[in-house]
Amino acid sequence: MTREQPAGGGTELGSFLRARRAAITPAEAGLTVGPGPRRTPGLRREELATLTGISVDYYVRLERGKETRPSPSVIDALAHALHLEEDEHEHLRSLVALATRTAPKPPAPPSRTIRPGVKLLLETLRPNPAHVVSRTNDLLAANPSGLRLLTGIEDWPARQRNLARYVFLHPASRTLFHDWATQVRGCVARLRALAGTDPDAPDLTRLAGELLLKSPEFARLWERYDIKGHSHGRKTFHHPDVGDLTLGYQSMELEGTPGHRLITYYAEPGTTDYDALSLLDLLGSQPTSHTPTPSHDEPTSPST
């Protein structure tokens, strides 16, 4: 476990509370503060305790992992005081449930197996780009345009292809995504949520450990502890093969799998974006003449 990724459930709960406390100002919390500088970013512990209706000592013990059984009313009061959104509120409940376990559940071994029906589904979605990723964003399968959309990722060996590794370590990603900063925030948020509820998962610890060492941007976002991802929306790409295109996207959980997701992109038929997708599908269907080689940022061992 790295320093940024605590090993204990109580400590993970404390990390989340500290990060969210630092992210909200007294004014946002409805407090009036006196003049003079504040050494604490966001809310102080005593301010949050007052807003929640609990003692400062109880809150300190909660943040330090000494108290692991807050009542549902305390959890709800903390969520209200910290202005948590629903997914953050649910994450807080999950962290409390994890902290109360006396014997941690061993993490399930990650699986890379893709059912034949899912592979067929990827083909039927053509020319729309689509790929299947694991819970830690390993790229497990893709149709031709789904692989070609992520320009340069095919140069990595199949078992090293990971969306988080790609956006932070592949130089092509910074020019491919029009809003690279938003892309990486969502990527870290999903991994951070998994770390909160399954902190000892070997697939996650290897990937997060690698990125914490190699990417200062990843380390900064990991420390912020945002968990709000995006399951749908629109993205603009500056693709070297087909030019600029703006696509809708939808992420879907695949039931009966260990956290696999299907991510598909789409454009309205008859538009220039759809024509670009058709060209991307054609280019992706052509056999490659080069042998994939590791990049200089690539790890020497697989992440799963």
Side-chain angles (χ1 to χ4, degrees), residues 180-202:
W180 181 83
T182 298
Q183 180 73 18
V184 297
R185 281 198 301 270
C187 206
V188 176
R190 184 171 291 277
L191 293 177
R192 204 56 167 107
L194 176 60
T197 55
D198 200 357
D200 298 318

Side-chain angles (χ1 to χ4, degrees), residues 13-24:
L13 172 60
S15 296
F16 182 68
L17 290 173
R18 283 191 297 272
R20 299 277 58 79
R21 178 167 61 83
I24 184 170

